[in-house]
Amino acid sequence: MAYLELNNIYKTYGKGENEPEVLSNINLSIEEGEFVAIVGFTGSGKTTLVNLINGLITPTKGEVLFKGEPVMGTSHERGVIFQNYSLLPWLTVGQNVYMAVKEAFPKKSKAELHAIVADYVEMVSLTPAINKRPKELSGGMRQRVSVARALAMKPEMIIMDEPLGALDALTRGNLQDEILNIWGKDKRTALLITNDVDEGIYMADRIIPLRPGPNATLGPEFKIDIERPRDKTEMNDNPNFKKTRNAIIEYLMDIGNERKTEAKEAIVLPDLSPKDFVNQF
Amino acid sequence: MKQSITLGKVTNFVGLGFLSTLKDLFTGKLEREDLKNVLRKTVVPLASMLLFIGLWHLGAKSLYNIEAEFKIEKALTDQGPEAADALRSCIASGDSSCQPNTLPSPSQVWDSYKSLLRDHNIIKADKAAFIEKTAVLNEKRLAEGKDAITYTGRPSFVDQIFRSLKTVFAGFLLALFIAVPLGIFIGLSPTLKSAFNWFIQIFKPVSPVVWYLLVFMIVKTLLIDSSEDSSFTISFISVGFCSMWATLVNTAMGVATVDKDYINVAKVLKLGPFQKIFKVVLPSSLPLIFTGLKITLSVAWMVLIAIELLAQSPGLGLFVWEEFQNGANDSNAKIIVAMFVIGIIGFLLDRIMLTIQNWVSFDKTEGI
């Protein structure tokens, strides 16, 4: 049995006849220890998908199975790294991580908890900033705190919702390596949602494109057969990399074009102008 | 690294930024462009103050003349030309017995201010002498199990100010302890919100006078056995009830509109209900709660005067009312002094709350 399974997931928001179907017929299975990336356009329903998996929302139809059990609400077994860091601005770096650790390990003593916090803050190399508040940190540092907070709870699976989307290219590259390093240590299952194909290829074992919503659904998967540890510069010359990259981008472009032509056909503008349009000016 | 605290930071923080520009002016650190700014922030307010005092002086003078003319005219028709002449010379001589009763001029107000301070010093000395005199006797009385003799003389103007501050803080604390917890509950539970909504909407606009009467009806009966003066109790409770609404509404709104990201964090971390309230919901609504408290304090200070006046509770309100009833020659000037004192204290209270509010506030985008 797969580690995480999504069976025939449908998700709609609102009520009534014109309720928009954000996700439809999503099927996905992730094996233990696997690193899967889902790539899609902005607004294609990626965050909805992630919230379904981490348990913040429930599907309208279908089921999410985690280790064979249906997902009911959030769990410490699935750590989440949010798109917008979501640190609490009134707490310091250490306190932000401590709050998570304390909830995850209620039986541990204070000293043990503080040791865990120190470990993970060290792991994302923020020890000098442990007593700073988020406003004193750069975007990259904030996201590292968010990574430390998610990992310090020792989740069995890490869910990342466009974690590096708001960062500049250099910081992004560094953090990709850091996340891969941390992931490589104990090979937890990981799901990365991203809008960057290169990032997906560099980090994941498998890439699945998300066809944009409404009615977003998963496209065919692409396996990445590049040995780890991967090297960014070498990878650019790897024929496998080029092939996969082109295939994915082509696929995404095709969807994009499809969508454009659809849009052209669908919308016929009525010949109307506002009443008393002239008089108002 | 410790952040250095400079004068500029402190003054900007408490909203008195012009003080630091003033300092720059004297230490010669100013650029030419800044000069315009300094002029705008220091010279312009000073000039407008002088203009205000000047207009006040002219206005008071013309009111004085109208009143004097009227008095003389009246004397002329009632008692004949001799009485009118006598009155005219009496007014011109500045004798206090026949001065027209009207808006006092700035200089009269300043004199009254000085006389109130003098009065305060006299009463203070009197009080100190009394305490010294009764010290030995009081010790003896206490040893015998009797109550000590206390000073029961007239309170000075400064004493009245402190009594008023005491009332306002008691009322403010009452508002704080009722409105903040209630606001949190209302903000958290939509059921409680619909249960309390009509109540808030109806009682919020009720005037201080009516609140006073309502509190009076209840407290009078509750304290029916007590021989003590209940005016202080009644006035601080009324002040609290009048002023608590801003805090109640703001707290409820702050708690109900916590950023969704923070709520998601609380869910993903699986915080318990208490942890969620104290670690996430409350800190994130603190800025709004303090905005409410700031409004509450200024409303409390504003309604205090009316309520003290009605409740006959010692303080600035009663002082104003007594001076008005008194009708002495300098009563009007004393009322204006009280008006300025009330305004300045209100301004200072507002500044204190603003400082605290800045302290607890955070930028919404800081963690995002």
Side-chain angles (χ1 to χ4, degrees):
Chain A
M1 180 182 292
Y3 196 64
L4 177 86
E5 247 186 278
L6 273 70
N7 295 329
N8 301 317
I9 296 282
Y10 286 82
K11 179 68 191 173
T12 58
Y13 284 117
K15 280 176 196 164
E17 274 178 21
N18 49 4
E19 52 180 339
E21 210 167 72
V22 181
L23 297 177
S24 70
N25 197 21
I26 299 266
N27 286 291
L28 173 69
S29 73
I30 298 177
E31 299 300 327
E32 188 162 4
E34 207 180 6
F35 197 132
V36 175
I38 292 178
V39 187
F41 293 107
T42 33
S44 58
K46 287 179 303 212
T47 298
T48 307
L49 182 63
V50 131
N51 284 346
L52 279 171
I53 296 169
N54 66 35
L56 280 172
I57 54 177
T58 52
T60 315
K61 259 193 281 178
E63 55 176 1
V64 183
L65 296 177
F66 181 69
K67 295 198 286 187
E69 301 280 322
V71 165
M72 311 283 268
T74 56
S75 156
H76 290 150
E77 294 175 325
R78 298 184 300 279
V80 184
I81 301 174
F82 289 102
Q83 185 174 4
N84 48 16
Y85 329 142
S86 295
L87 301 176
L88 302 180
W90 50 89
L91 298 180
T92 64
V93 169
Q95 287 166 333
N96 264 297
V97 180
Y98 183 82
M99 194 170 78
V101 176
K102 199 175 141 208
E103 287 305 315
F105 312 107
K107 283 176 193 157
K108 293 208 163 150
S109 74
K110 256 193 177 166
E112 283 175 297
L113 294 178
H114 279 295
I116 296 175
V117 171
D119 275 357
Y120 278 85
V121 172
E122 174 65 45
M123 195 173 74
V124 295
S125 38
L126 279 178
T127 307
I130 194 163
N131 288 322
K132 287 193 175 163
R133 286 177 203 282
K135 71 169 170 186
E136 298 169 79
L137 305 180
S138 67
M141 289 161 100
R142 289 181 199 177
Q143 192 55 290
R144 294 223 287 272
V145 181
S146 179
V147 170
R149 181 175 66 182
L151 294 176
M153 301 172 83
K154 304 209 169 111
E156 293 171 32
M157 178 175 179
I158 314 165
I159 301 167
M160 291 167 273
D161 180 10
E162 290 196 55
L164 312 176
L167 303 178
D168 63 275
L170 285 174
T171 322
R172 211 171 163 147
N174 284 339
L175 260 175
Q176 284 169 358
D177 289 336
E178 269 183 52
I179 293 176
L180 277 180
N181 267 338
I182 296 164
W183 173 78
K185 273 182 201 156
D186 40 15
K187 294 266 171 181
R188 286 174 216 167
T189 315
L191 176 68
L192 170 74
I193 309 277
T194 179
N195 55 17
D196 181 351
V197 177
D198 287 5
E199 181 175 284
I201 297 176
Y202 180 57
M203 296 180 78
D205 298 324
R206 246 192 317 153
I207 292 191
I208 305 168
L210 185 68
R211 296 177 62 99
N215 298 318
T217 187
L218 292 176
E221 66 169 48
F222 296 86
K223 277 230 181 305
I224 317 290
D225 286 324
I226 303 173
E227 257 179 49
R228 288 177 195 277
R230 294 168 186 169
D231 184 288
K232 267 198 187 126
T233 29
E234 274 176 31
M235 234 170 64
N236 280 330
D237 301 326
N238 188 321
N240 236 337
F241 167 78
K242 283 183 188 164
K243 212 176 71 192
T244 328
R245 185 169 183 271
N246 287 341
I248 298 172
I249 290 178
E250 218 164 272
Y251 177 78
L252 287 171
M253 296 287 277
D254 281 349
I255 309 174
N257 289 337
E258 241 173 70
R259 201 159 58 147
K260 266 185 211 154
T261 46
E262 264 174 35
K264 264 182 201 155
E265 284 161 13
I267 299 171
V268 182
L269 290 175
D271 184 24
L272 290 174
S273 63
K275 203 180 165 190
D276 301 331
F277 180 69
V278 185
N279 293 348
Q280 282 184 0
F281 292 95
Chain B
M1 191 189 80
K2 275 221 160 161
Q3 277 196 333
S4 61
I5 296 171
T6 62
L7 177 75
K9 274 186 193 161
V10 174
T11 50
N12 274 327
F13 197 70
V14 298
L16 295 170
F18 71 92
L19 282 181
S20 55
T21 24
L22 206 62
K23 189 198 137 212
D24 286 347
L25 181 70
F26 288 119
T27 49
K29 266 199 290 186
L30 227 52
E31 297 292 318
R32 214 188 148 81
E33 289 96 60
D34 292 336
L35 200 66
K36 223 167 153 187
N37 213 7
V38 173
L39 287 180
R40 190 179 301 130
K41 281 184 172 165
T42 54
V43 176
V44 171
L46 278 177
S48 70
M49 268 183 223
L50 285 177
L51 184 71
F52 172 78
I53 292 174
L55 284 176
W56 172 14
H57 176 77
L58 292 177
K61 204 169 166 186
S62 102
L63 287 174
Y64 178 89
N65 287 339
I66 294 171
E67 190 82 25
E69 283 305 316
F70 180 78
K71 264 184 125 170
I72 293 166
E73 200 72 21
K74 199 159 176 270
L76 189 67
T77 47
D78 289 356
Q79 297 161 333
E82 273 169 36
D85 282 343
L87 186 64
R88 196 189 298 275
S89 55
C90 174
I91 289 174
S93 75
D95 188 0
S96 62
S97 63
C98 54
Q99 288 302 309
N101 180 17
T102 182
L103 179 73
S105 70
S107 61
Q108 280 173 308
V109 171
W110 181 246
D111 288 342
S112 290
Y113 168 72
K114 284 191 290 189
S115 99
L116 280 171
L117 275 191
R118 253 196 323 274
D119 186 46
H120 167 69
N121 286 331
I122 293 168
I123 292 178
K124 206 167 93 182
D126 194 26
K127 202 168 169 180
F130 178 84
I131 288 170
E132 205 181 318
K133 218 161 65 183
T134 53
V136 184
L137 183 64
N138 271 343
E139 256 175 50
K140 222 156 108 193
R141 282 178 67 95
L142 283 173
E144 287 168 16
K146 289 186 199 160
D147 283 345
I149 302 168
T150 49
Y151 183 77
T152 52
R154 182 170 63 88
S156 75
F157 182 64
V158 179
D159 294 336
Q160 307 266 42
I161 294 177
F162 283 105
R163 285 301 296 262
S164 278
L165 282 174
K166 196 175 138 195
T167 315
V168 111
F169 279 114
F172 175 72
L173 288 180
L174 180 76
L176 177 83
F177 286 118
I178 293 177
V180 172
L182 195 62
I184 291 171
F185 287 126
I186 291 175
L188 287 175
S189 147
T191 320
L192 270 181
K193 191 186 170 194
S194 45
F196 272 100
N197 200 27
W198 67 269
F199 181 81
I200 295 172
Q201 300 304 334
I202 290 179
F203 283 88
K204 196 170 63 171
V206 169
S207 107
V209 177
V210 182
W211 269 114
Y212 162 73
L213 294 174
L214 188 70
V215 173
F216 174 74
M217 291 172 214
I218 296 167
V219 172
K220 183 191 66 163
T221 315
L222 287 180
L223 295 180
I224 205 160
D225 294 329
S226 161
S227 58
E228 288 202 15
D229 182 17
S230 60
S231 66
F232 174 74
T233 318
I234 293 174
S235 52
F236 94 79
I237 293 177
S238 313
V239 168
F241 277 118
C242 272
S243 61
M244 71 177 202
W245 304 100
T247 303
L248 181 61
V249 172
N250 268 31
T251 308
M253 194 170 85
V255 169
T257 58
V258 174
D259 199 301
K260 200 148 192 281
D261 286 331
Y262 302 149
I263 297 292
N264 278 349
V265 169
K267 276 189 191 156
V268 166
L269 301 184
K270 291 200 84 89
L271 298 184
F274 272 98
Q275 285 277 314
K276 188 179 153 194
I277 292 172
F278 285 105
K279 287 279 166 70
V280 179
V281 172
L282 270 188
S284 97
S285 38
L286 266 190
L288 259 183
I289 294 178
F290 270 88
T291 311
L293 286 175
K294 180 168 152 251
I295 301 171
T296 287
L297 188 59
S298 53
V299 170
W301 185 245
M302 202 167 70
V303 301
L304 173 85
I305 306 306
I307 282 173
E308 275 179 349
L309 186 157
L310 284 167
Q312 297 290 300
S313 166
L316 284 170
L318 191 64
F319 173 83
V320 169
W321 187 241
E322 278 174 350
E323 286 303 332
F324 179 67
Q325 296 291 323
N326 187 353
N329 202 44
D330 59 350
S331 281
N332 287 357
K334 281 182 180 167
I335 291 173
I336 304 287
V337 172
M339 185 189 89
F340 278 111
V341 167
I342 290 164
I344 290 167
I345 291 176
F347 169 69
L348 291 178
L349 291 178
D350 199 62
R351 271 296 131 104
I352 293 170
M353 287 307 285
L354 188 75
T355 309
I356 301 174
Q357 194 190 341
N358 285 341
W359 200 271
V360 299
S361 286
F362 55 88
D363 188 352
K364 268 249 154 150
T365 57
E366 274 170 15
I368 295 174

